[in-house]
Amino acid sequence: MDENQEEDLSRAEVLEAPQMGLTRVAAHMCLDIFDSARHRRKLYVGEWLPEPVPDRTTTVVSTPVRALDRITLGESVNTALTVVPESLTPAARVAFVLRNMFALSFGEIAAIVGRTPQMCRKLASSAWRHVRHRRRREIASDVHTRIVTAFRAACDTGDLTTLVSLLDPDATTLSDGGGKVRAALNPIHGAERTARFMLGVLVQHPELEATLQSVNGKTGLVLRHDTAVSGVVSFHVQNEKITDIWVVLNPDKLRSWNRS
């Protein structure tokens, strides 16, 4: 089948079954975007993190929040869950969304992603296990907020001992500067190294003010210089210990936080 025949077939599908046809077109576009993004990230300077989303009640955002934005701000779509899919292949991510969000059959998904129905079932199941594992590890919002608040207070006073006590021994910090601003190029592992890194950032930049604020639906820290947001920090807490810290410093990913 040549390209013209495929194009005619796609048009016929859209006319005969609009919902399925448009879903297929959108899914193919997503696959192309994922593949392109994966290639760009190979050239990305340092660690790559998803763009943090401000809560709809955040005062720095003056524009109305659309319905789709409200979905991304939900409790189930926090930083932990947006980081996990990045480890999946584009086909697995699309299979997961089409199955769990649009309830497509695995036969329909197979026609879209170019895999067998059996393989699509495995891809979707694997993706769901990743997400479900993260959800099981989530703690109550008030506990999360209490731990992050204590973390901020320890940073303010330079209390290294307290900071270390709040961190899991295997805690990991990722810092995303995108080559635009200074950031750690590699992951930082361990409670003490993470604590010293966070204190070092604040000591080197005394002009920054860290405030508690909702980040992707969970309490995080927003770093401001005067009124401009210079960084956003989000946390994953398990068993009342911080296991992951994500620091986004790339100004290109902070535009939604700096809208006037």
Side-chain angles (χ1 to χ4, degrees), residues 88-252:
L88 304 174
T89 64
R93 295 165 71 180
V94 170
F96 171 76
V97 171
L98 292 179
R99 179 63 177 176
N100 292 280
M101 304 300 177
F102 295 95
L104 266 64
S105 70
F106 290 113
E108 293 170 323
I109 297 172
I112 293 173
V113 302
R115 304 287 197 280
T116 65
Q118 293 77 14
M119 179 57 68
C120 289
R121 181 187 295 275
K122 291 181 179 180
L123 290 173
S125 297
S126 175
W128 177 244
R129 283 196 299 270
H130 277 75
V131 173
R132 187 169 53 189
H133 177 64
R134 278 289 187 175
R135 281 179 172 167
R136 281 202 302 265
R137 296 170 63 189
E138 293 294 318
I139 63 170
S141 294
D142 59 335
V143 177
H144 179 100
T145 297
R146 173 168 57 80
I147 299 298
V148 173
T149 301
F151 184 90
R152 176 187 177 275
C155 285
D156 286 345
T157 60
D159 188 344
L160 178 63
T161 301
T162 298
L163 276 180
V164 172
S165 71
L166 293 168
L167 292 160
D168 184 88
D170 297 321
T172 299
T173 297
L174 301 181
S175 180
D176 179 350
K180 305 293 180 69
V181 297
R182 187 176 180 182
L185 295 178
N186 298 306
I188 298 168
H189 300 290
E192 186 166 346
R193 290 186 64 196
T194 291
R196 291 187 182 278
F197 170 76
M198 294 302 297
L199 286 179
V201 170
L202 297 176
V203 168
Q204 293 173 18
H205 301 280
E207 73 281 1
L208 292 179
E209 179 186 5
T211 58
L212 294 168
Q213 200 162 316
S214 179
V215 180
N216 294 346
K218 290 282 189 180
T219 300
L221 295 177
V222 177
L223 308 178
R224 287 186 175 84
H225 180 204
D226 292 331
T227 59
V229 174
S230 301
V232 173
V233 186
S234 50
F235 302 83
H236 185 244
V237 181
Q238 181 185 3
N239 297 327
E240 300 199 18
K241 296 287 185 180
I242 297 171
T243 59
D244 298 276
I245 300 178
W246 299 284
V247 185
V248 176
L249 301 170
N250 185 344
D252 293 342

Side-chain angles (χ1 to χ4, degrees), residues 14-130:
V14 172
L15 292 174
E16 294 175 6
Q19 183 177 4
M20 183 60 192
L22 291 174
T23 300
R24 178 172 295 188
V25 170
H28 279 300
M29 292 175 64
C30 289
L31 283 170
D32 291 341
I33 291 171
F34 288 153
D35 285 333
S36 176
R38 177 163 292 195
H39 174 71
R40 290 197 305 271
R41 285 169 199 166
K42 290 180 181 178
L43 307 177
Y44 197 80
V45 178
E47 295 293 327
W48 184 96
L49 290 171
E51 182 176 339
V53 179
D55 189 272
R56 60 179 177 272
T57 60
T58 300
T59 56
V60 295
V61 179
S62 59
T63 54
V65 179
R66 299 172 301 165
L68 286 176
D69 294 329
R70 290 193 177 92
I71 295 174
T72 64
L73 296 174
E75 187 77 12
S76 62
V77 189
N78 54 44
T79 306
L81 294 183
T82 56
V83 169
V84 169
E86 295 303 322
S87 63
L88 304 174
T89 64
R93 295 165 71 180
V94 170
F96 171 76
V97 171
L98 292 179
R99 179 63 177 176
N100 292 280
M101 304 300 177
F102 295 95
L104 266 64
S105 70
F106 290 113
E108 293 170 323
I109 297 172
I112 293 173
V113 302
R115 304 287 197 280
T116 65
Q118 293 77 14
M119 179 57 68
C120 289
R121 181 187 295 275
K122 291 181 179 180
L123 290 173
S125 297
S126 175
W128 177 244
R129 283 196 299 270
H130 277 75

